Amino acid sequence: MPFLRNAWYIAALSKEIEGTALIGRTLLGEGVLIYRLRSGECVALRDRCPHRFAPLHMGTRVDDDVVCPYHALRFDPSGRCVHNPHGNQKIPAAAKVHRYRTVERYGLLWIWMGEPERADDSKIVDCSRLEIGHPNGVAYGYMRFDANYKLIVENILDLSHADHVHGLIISTRGELSKLIPKMHAEDRYVTARWDWKQTPAQQVVASFLPNPEAEARQFAEVHWHAPSNMLVTVGATQSADPKDVLQTWDYHFMTPETESSTHYFFASRRTANWIEEDAQYNQLKVTAMLQAFEREDGPLISAIQKEMGSSDFWSLNPVLLSSDPAPVRARRALEKLINEEASAGQASQPGT
Ligand code: FES
Ligand SMILES: [Fe+2]
């Protein structure tokens, strides 16, 4: 199954692209070179020299250009070869590399891996929540999972696993599995929502409630935007006043590295009533969240990937439970989009 190419993915966190660094990252099975120009603008080029295919990120940077590490062809930020030290120094017409469309927004570098003329910035999902509020109330993280990105999408679209997989920090104490989540689905969009009570609340939030040991009302709403951009809003309260709800907006962005590995970007914003200005707590909280994902979800999802190997998901005849409609709907929607793109002949790889 090919990837959906005409879509926005995350290539990197803004904070990863620092100074004069040349970052090599495989996205959708394709080597991509990412770096920041002296002007501050980010560039993403195919990370493969057209001569003998050396990865350009192993080369050197000269001003805003990149010099290939092997025979020193030099490329400018548009991907054009601007210097050939060999023979008569003529530049072969084919000596160029693809430059991908990118947009830096919300502290993230968005990349369009498909046909450049179809890239539409207005289709980038709204993550403006990350920019509303005190700067200490937002945090970013990166993980890499040895699993297909769809397994991670489905993990988040079925939060009932928090009853069984997660330790105390985000455990939902068996409450979610009893519920059938409310679902809403469109062609490129699926949401699932759980409303429940638990005693005490999830540990990550309990100590900020008026009575940390007592029952709390909680909710979680998961939004999936094709292909793999997700927002999870989670809230907890012991009050009837909506202003008292402690809430986070957690963004999960899965960018396929290969068929069986994924770049997993995470960004989180808390409400103002949840010590939003406390930078130290912010760091502690995001570290705890990332550790829960990496130590608890990660090994399980990687083991599932290993067990499934390269088998098609449906060919394994999975048993479906009451928590499965949202993940199944998203998987089906994605398959449809990928098939439509392939049959329209739009799945060409401009970067190769
Ligand atoms: S491989 Fe890049 S110049 Fe030869
Ligand atoms: Fe999880």
Side-chain angles (χ1 to χ4, degrees):
M1 176 71 79
F3 300 111
L4 191 69
R5 297 192 66 86
N6 285 325
W8 290 103
Y9 293 91
I10 304 299
L13 305 175
S14 288
K15 66 177 184 179
E16 291 182 287
I17 317 164
E18 286 191 326
T20 56
L22 298 174
I23 300 167
R25 184 161 274 172
T26 300
L27 308 174
L28 281 58
E30 209 163 283
V32 178
L33 162 69
I34 301 161
Y35 66 103
R36 199 179 282 285
L37 302 180
R38 291 169 298 176
S39 64
E41 186 191 350
C42 284
V43 172
L45 299 177
R46 180 72 168 101
D47 191 17
R48 182 162 87 179
C49 178
H51 175 226
R52 292 280 173 172
F53 317 126
L56 294 174
H57 79 269
M58 295 172 73
T60 48
R61 169 123 180 218
V62 177
D63 299 331
D64 283 342
D65 297 344
V66 178
V67 179
C68 176
Y70 206 176
H71 312 96
L73 287 181
R74 175 170 165 172
F75 299 89
D76 75 6
S78 75
R80 201 166 52 96
C81 180
V82 290
H83 181 62
N84 169 14
H86 299 270
N88 64 6
Q89 304 203 342
K90 210 165 156 248
I91 293 172
K96 53 181 183 246
V97 291
H98 177 70
R99 178 174 177 175
Y100 301 89
R101 283 285 312 276
T102 52
V103 175
E104 192 170 15
R105 192 178 290 175
Y106 311 126
L108 304 158
L109 184 68
W110 300 79
I111 189 164
W112 182 269
M113 299 293 288
E115 299 156 286
E117 59 281 6
R118 291 171 66 93
D120 177 355
D121 300 7
S122 71
K123 295 279 170 23
I124 291 175
V125 296
D126 180 4
C127 307
S128 53
R129 256 289 155 197
L130 293 171
E131 298 177 336
I132 299 171
H134 195 281
N136 290 350
V138 69
Y140 293 83
Y142 168 82
M143 299 165 280
R144 186 185 164 282
F145 274 25
D146 281 316
N148 181 277
Y149 69 108
K150 285 178 280 189
L151 296 178
I152 309 171
V153 165
E154 291 175 310
N155 167 266
I156 298 167
L157 269 169
D158 177 4
L159 288 183
S160 70
H161 80 271
D163 283 350
H164 314 289
V165 172
H166 287 298
L168 273 185
I169 288 177
I170 54 174
S171 173
T172 40
R173 300 178 187 274
E175 298 295 339
L176 296 197
S177 303
K178 302 178 215 165
L179 303 175
I180 297 182
K182 294 187 201 83
M183 184 183 75
H184 171 76
E186 296 171 20
D187 288 350
R188 309 176 70 97
Y189 179 66
V190 174
T191 65
R193 182 183 170 105
W194 293 257
D195 291 88
W196 75 99
K197 291 175 184 164
Q198 72 175 70
T199 312
Q202 285 177 296
Q203 198 179 64
V204 69
V205 71
S207 59
F208 299 96
L209 292 168
N211 187 347
E213 299 304 323
E215 179 184 85
R217 296 197 311 282
Q218 293 205 228
F219 71 88
E221 192 167 291
V222 181
H223 300 248
W224 168 80
H225 298 261
S228 46
N229 299 320
M230 305 185 76
L231 165 63
V232 185
T233 61
V234 186
T237 190
Q238 291 171 330
S239 155
D241 187 342
K243 287 203 303 297
D244 294 335
V245 176
L246 298 166
Q247 187 169 329
T248 62
W249 289 265
D250 291 341
Y251 293 85
H252 302 248
F253 306 101
M254 275 62 71
T255 304
E257 179 184 54
T258 66
E259 275 289 338
S260 57
S261 59
T262 301
H263 301 289
Y264 189 162
F265 303 96
F266 179 67
S268 179
R269 151 75 65 189
R270 289 192 312 287
T271 37
N273 59 0
W274 190 344
I275 55 170
E276 191 192 30
E277 298 183 16
D278 188 331
Q280 199 182 1
Y281 172 75
N282 200 41
Q283 192 52 47
L284 277 174
K285 179 180 177 285
V286 78
T287 302
M289 298 290 288
L290 292 172
Q291 283 181 352
F293 302 149
E294 274 187 310
R295 290 184 189 163
E296 295 164 9
D297 296 297
L300 183 58
I301 298 173
S302 301
I304 290 168
Q305 175 65 65
K306 208 167 157 202
E307 178 58 36
M308 289 176 65
S310 57
S311 304
D312 170 69
F313 177 76
W314 299 114
S315 75
L316 299 173
N317 296 319
V319 168
L320 298 179
L321 304 177
S322 59
S323 56
D324 275 311
V328 165
R329 189 67 188 255
R331 181 177 279 270
R332 291 283 194 210
L334 190 52
E335 287 167 353
K336 186 162 177 275
L337 290 167
I338 291 171
N339 286 335
E340 283 170 359
E341 190 175 271
S343 59
Q346 293 162 356
S348 60
Q349 298 189 12
T352 53

